[in-house]
Amino acid sequence: MGFDFAHLMELIPDINKAFFQTIYMIAISLVVSTVIGLPVGILLYITDKGLFLENRMVQNILGFVVNMVRSIPFIILLVALLPLTNLLVSTTIGPTAASVSLSVAAIPFFARIVENALREIDKGVIEAAIAAGATPWMIIKDVLLLEARSGIISGVTLTLISLVGFSAMAGTVGGGGIGDLAIRFGYYRYDNTIMISTVLILIILVQVIQLLGDYIAKVVDKR
Amino acid sequence: MIEIKNLTKVYKTKKGEVKGVDNVSLTVKEGEIFGIVGYSGAGKSSLLRCINLLERPTSGSITVDGTDLTSLKGEQLRSSRLKIGMIFQHFYLISQKTVYENISFSLKAANYPKDQVKQRVEELLKMVGLSDKRDVYPSQLSGGQKQRVGIARALANNPKVLLCDEATSALDPTTTKSILNLLKKINKELNITIVLITHEMDVVKEICSRMAIMQDGKVIEDGSVYDIFANPQAALTKEFIESVVTLEIPEVILNGCEGPIVKVTFRGKVAGEGVISDTLQQFNLKGNFLHGSIEYIQELPLGIFIMELKGQKQEIEKALQYIENRAAQVEVLRNGL
């Protein structure tokens, strides 16, 4: 069975719905992972050895938790977090439920990316700010976040693209979205038309995200 | 202004403990430009960074303008740092902020009244000669211009002390000169005490009044720049001075000399007087100049001449005594008697 255009037309409403479910899932998880992951990433960095809020205990505990979540394969995390999902959103199926696991997986991912982006900053710039008598908050806001802005935006792009991949996996446990469609039609029913269409949609989505992310990262960088 | 007492800074490395700064005591007077010279790894940078506690000394104390900084922590230390400006070899400007924003960042740290920030930044820009670069990002500036922004930033809160960490080492000679002139101007007009570290003896000769030479974490020699140039003690000091005042004579020339070769160092005003011609006449000698230079340090002449003396042995000895009485130092480099 090859590509059947008429069949595709028939399923346009389904594809459309799945597409927006995917967008919905990644949007929620992106917001949650950014809001929580950014401060976690900053904390991981500034509590490190030789930095202005050095604190081995915070650094170790935080690092351990982050690594722990990151070491669990997403497909397992998805199932393991079902009780938590049920508690938070009172359901375990559908895009909203999938967003919980997606967020939990994306927070440590994004936090590490933020930490890495901050490591790229020349330590001398931070030192100059300390020498100028700046408060820790000023250093975080005016030096760290500003100097790493471009890197953090690239990190958001990376996280978004990973979320697209993860969200497709969420489809396997009834999370909805493009991945769900691809599995139900493309895999279970050998529906190549749907398979090809969903793959194309994902390719285009990822390309658009990457181009946009690169563009913004470049525009904001004053170096 | 700055009192460093028995300062030691120990670094822990994989190979054990390393003394970056080893029991250093120094006093920097108000209004002077003090230079610390040494090769990289001598500990001068660690010493400088201890002055504003960017690095906390392992032991010893640092007093700046009457405040013992080593006893301070957190907020108190932060507010004390407002009175100590610092500039760096690699400038360390915030690349994502404009020149204006980089300077106003310092003012923000001092809670400067918001309605006066603009005026103050413009004043500072005018002082460093960068008024036209106000809204430009650091990447669009040359090295010298970046350092000027660094200086404006360091001076924003009217500090008493300015620390310069190899501030001209990344600049070309012309730019170095203009930055040194700016530092001199700041020192004179604003009466800011400057401590600078460098490996370039030129810089010290150009603007410092007193200096210290460091090796292996220790200060091996310190005093007025003029005295040290006129009469260096340690081998390393001599090496540094030779980097700016070379008095090397080719082997062929030396071999062609018969009489004793002497090095005469004239200090201060004496350099202008005709000591040499008087000596030659009085003792009926012939002098043969092999090398010579007059350096102006802190606007005082320092004359160094190397010459061969020809004449009667006894007369030469008397002549040397005579020069010693009138001038500063006579050193016999090669005794051909």
Side-chain angles (χ1 to χ4, degrees):
Chain A
M1 201 165 83
F3 192 83
D4 183 349
F5 195 73
H7 178 55
L8 176 68
M9 282 302 153
E10 217 174 81
L11 283 164
I12 282 285
D14 286 285
I15 293 177
N16 196 39
K17 187 180 165 213
F19 180 74
F20 282 102
Q21 281 180 337
T22 295
I23 298 290
Y24 171 81
M25 279 189 280
I26 45 186
I28 291 180
S29 343
L30 183 73
V31 170
V32 174
S33 62
T34 313
V35 168
I36 301 176
L38 186 67
V40 171
I42 294 171
L43 215 55
L44 274 171
Y45 178 70
I46 60 176
T47 55
D48 202 3
K49 196 166 172 267
L51 274 135
F52 58 98
L53 287 180
E54 181 176 339
N55 188 326
R56 299 303 287 167
M57 205 170 81
V58 172
Q59 157 82 22
N60 286 338
I61 293 173
L62 219 52
F64 178 77
V65 173
V66 163
N67 288 343
M68 191 182 72
V69 178
R70 291 202 61 200
S71 59
I72 303 170
F74 182 65
I75 195 87
I76 295 171
L77 193 72
L78 210 55
V79 180
L81 286 178
L82 287 179
L84 175 74
T85 308
N86 202 15
L87 193 76
L88 286 176
V89 294
S90 310
T91 174
T92 56
I93 52 164
T96 311
S99 304
V100 175
S101 310
L102 281 173
S103 302
V104 171
I107 289 167
F109 181 76
F110 186 64
R112 281 293 185 209
I113 286 174
V114 169
E115 188 196 359
N116 277 328
L118 295 174
R119 280 190 202 289
E120 293 294 308
I121 302 171
D122 193 331
K123 286 235 171 64
V125 179
I126 300 168
E127 219 157 54
I130 295 172
T135 59
W137 175 240
M138 269 181 79
I139 298 173
I140 292 171
K141 193 165 75 65
D142 285 310
V143 180
L144 296 187
L145 288 181
L146 206 57
E147 291 292 275
R149 184 170 58 184
S150 191
I152 291 173
I153 289 169
S154 299
V156 170
T157 310
L158 200 62
T159 308
L160 251 179
I161 289 171
S162 297
L163 278 172
V164 172
F166 283 158
S167 76
M169 244 188 273
T172 55
V173 293
I178 300 274
D180 185 31
L181 201 68
I183 285 180
R184 278 191 291 125
F185 286 76
Y187 182 55
Y188 297 150
R189 294 193 202 169
Y190 301 103
D191 186 339
N192 284 350
T193 306
I194 292 297
M195 200 54 158
I196 293 166
S197 310
T198 51
V199 168
L200 275 177
I201 289 170
L202 290 176
I203 290 174
I204 293 167
L205 187 61
V206 168
Q207 295 291 344
V208 168
I209 293 170
Q210 187 69 55
L211 283 174
L212 208 67
D214 287 350
Y215 174 75
I216 298 171
K218 204 180 145 200
V219 165
V220 300
D221 194 359
K222 307 294 180 193
R223 264 175 296 186
Chain B
M1 177 55 67
I2 304 173
E3 183 95 44
I4 302 169
K5 267 191 199 150
N6 306 105
L7 187 91
T8 298
K9 171 76 190 175
V10 177
Y11 294 99
K12 289 195 180 85
T13 64
K14 279 172 192 163
K15 287 177 185 170
E17 293 188 339
V18 176
K19 276 188 181 171
V21 181
D22 191 357
N23 197 21
V24 166
S25 296
L26 280 176
T27 305
V28 179
K29 294 175 204 146
E30 184 170 358
E32 75 179 354
I33 304 185
F34 193 92
I36 301 170
V37 183
Y39 288 122
S40 53
K44 53 191 192 315
S45 195
S46 305
L47 176 61
L48 190 80
R49 290 155 51 84
C50 279
I51 296 178
N52 64 354
L53 255 69
L54 275 182
E55 276 176 38
R56 195 165 272 280
T58 312
S59 65
S61 73
I62 310 254
T63 310
V64 177
D65 196 23
T67 312
D68 179 9
L69 293 184
T70 30
S71 67
L72 300 182
K73 268 185 183 170
E75 191 57 28
Q76 282 178 311
L77 177 61
R78 197 180 70 75
S79 54
S80 298
R81 282 188 178 130
L82 297 172
K83 291 286 152 208
I84 309 171
M86 190 170 190
I87 58 174
F88 305 86
Q89 179 176 8
H90 298 297
F91 327 118
Y92 297 143
L93 302 175
I94 300 170
S95 66
Q96 309 290 337
K97 279 184 186 283
T98 62
V99 167
Y100 180 93
E101 291 165 341
N102 263 287
I103 300 171
S104 63
F105 177 77
S106 283
L107 294 170
K108 203 164 132 194
N111 278 322
Y112 204 80
K114 279 208 173 92
D115 52 326
Q116 291 165 36
V117 168
K118 189 166 177 270
Q119 195 198 336
R120 176 70 181 145
V121 174
E122 270 159 14
E123 206 174 283
L124 288 157
L125 282 173
K126 200 176 159 201
M127 183 167 68
V128 299
L130 279 182
S131 297
D132 56 330
K133 301 285 182 196
R134 206 187 90 155
D135 298 314
V136 154
Y137 286 94
S139 62
Q140 292 157 271
L141 298 174
S142 70
Q145 289 170 330
K146 282 181 197 164
Q147 196 58 287
R148 283 169 189 273
V149 178
I151 292 171
R153 174 175 69 174
L155 297 181
N157 295 314
N158 293 311
K160 296 256 168 115
V161 174
L162 178 65
L163 307 176
C164 309
D165 187 354
E166 297 272 9
T168 57
S169 300
L171 305 173
D172 62 59
T174 322
T175 316
T176 295
K177 194 125 197 172
S178 78
I179 293 293
L180 292 182
N181 285 336
L182 178 61
L183 290 177
K184 237 191 248 180
K185 183 178 119 179
I186 289 162
N187 170 254
K188 279 211 178 109
E189 289 177 11
L190 306 174
N191 193 34
I192 291 175
T193 308
I194 298 180
V195 179
L196 60 87
I197 62 166
T198 181
H199 60 267
E200 297 168 313
M201 204 63 176
D202 259 336
V203 170
V204 173
K205 191 179 143 230
E206 190 76 31
I207 67 169
C208 295
S209 49
R210 291 202 311 126
M211 68 181 292
I213 293 121
M214 281 189 82
Q215 189 176 26
D216 300 329
K218 293 189 180 79
V219 168
I220 54 169
E221 199 165 346
D222 69 309
S224 93
V225 173
Y226 192 91
D227 288 343
I228 286 178
F229 266 79
N231 191 15
Q233 300 297 319
L236 181 70
T237 315
K238 287 177 185 161
E239 204 176 303
F240 269 112
I241 289 172
E242 275 162 19
S243 70
V244 282
V245 186
T246 45
L247 289 168
E248 235 171 82
I249 303 163
E251 199 70 26
V252 191
I253 304 282
L254 281 176
N255 291 339
C257 295
E258 295 155 8
I261 296 170
V262 296
K263 179 178 162 191
V264 186
T265 307
F266 296 105
R267 303 173 63 142
K269 284 176 187 155
V270 190
E273 291 172 17
V275 177
I276 298 281
S277 63
D278 286 357
T279 312
L280 297 180
Q281 270 177 8
Q282 200 168 330
F283 300 96
N284 197 19
L285 300 175
K286 278 187 179 157
N288 186 13
F289 280 106
L290 301 174
H291 214 313
S293 81
I294 297 178
E295 299 290 329
Y296 290 88
I297 299 163
Q298 303 294 300
E299 288 160 10
L300 274 176
L302 174 70
I304 301 171
F305 300 97
I306 295 180
M307 59 195 294
E308 179 196 9
L309 292 176
K310 283 181 188 164
Q312 283 187 332
K313 190 184 160 188
Q314 278 179 324
E315 293 298 294
I316 289 176
E317 273 168 4
K318 277 189 210 160
L320 292 178
Q321 192 58 48
Y322 176 79
I323 298 174
E324 201 150 345
N325 289 342
R326 278 193 65 181
Q329 294 153 247
V330 185
E331 195 185 329
V332 180
L333 296 181
R334 197 189 73 179
N335 202 333
L337 290 170

